[in-house]
Amino acid sequence: MPEEAKISTTNCQGSLYSVRRDIKEIQEDNRNLILSITAGSISSALLYGPGGLMPIFSIPYFYLKKKQKAERVIQTWEEDYCKE
């Protein structure tokens, strides 16, 4: 998450807060998804045995997708608002 704008223009600094908010939303979605996958896997493991833990192996995939989404948000912000 960017702490400061790379360029001190008003557009770049003004839109920084909306970018932070968007990235925080992505982080919260990621956390909630991982918690639900983990809880679902543990409960299905109790019912079906070790095979019920298979959904846990999908966590790195979803983490990567959310990370790429956050990087796209930052890249779009830099291209649209922070060019000199």
Side-chain angles (χ1 to χ4, degrees):
M1 186 175 333
E3 292 296 322
E4 294 182 12
K6 291 185 176 188
I7 301 171
S8 61
T9 61
T10 56
N11 285 340
C12 188
Q13 289 181 348
S15 60
L16 176 64
Y17 298 107
S18 65
V19 169
R20 283 185 185 169
R21 184 189 67 231
D22 292 343
I23 292 176
K24 273 195 172 178
E25 287 177 12
I26 292 170
Q27 287 175 340
E28 289 175 9
D29 289 344
N30 193 26
R31 185 189 69 224
N32 293 337
L33 179 66
I34 289 173
L35 286 174
S36 63
I37 288 173
T38 304
S41 294
I42 290 172
S43 63
S44 65
L46 293 173
L47 293 174
Y48 303 115
L53 292 174
M54 291 302 288
I56 284 182
F57 294 114
S58 66
I59 289 176
Y61 171 77
F62 290 115
Y63 180 79
L64 177 66
K65 288 296 181 183
K66 297 289 184 176
K67 181 180 179 222
Q68 289 172 345
K69 185 176 179 182
E71 288 173 352
R72 281 194 306 269
V73 167
I74 292 172
Q75 182 180 12
T76 303
W77 166 66
E78 289 175 347
E79 290 174 355
D80 292 346
Y81 297 104
C82 297
K83 284 200 173 185
E84 288 186 51

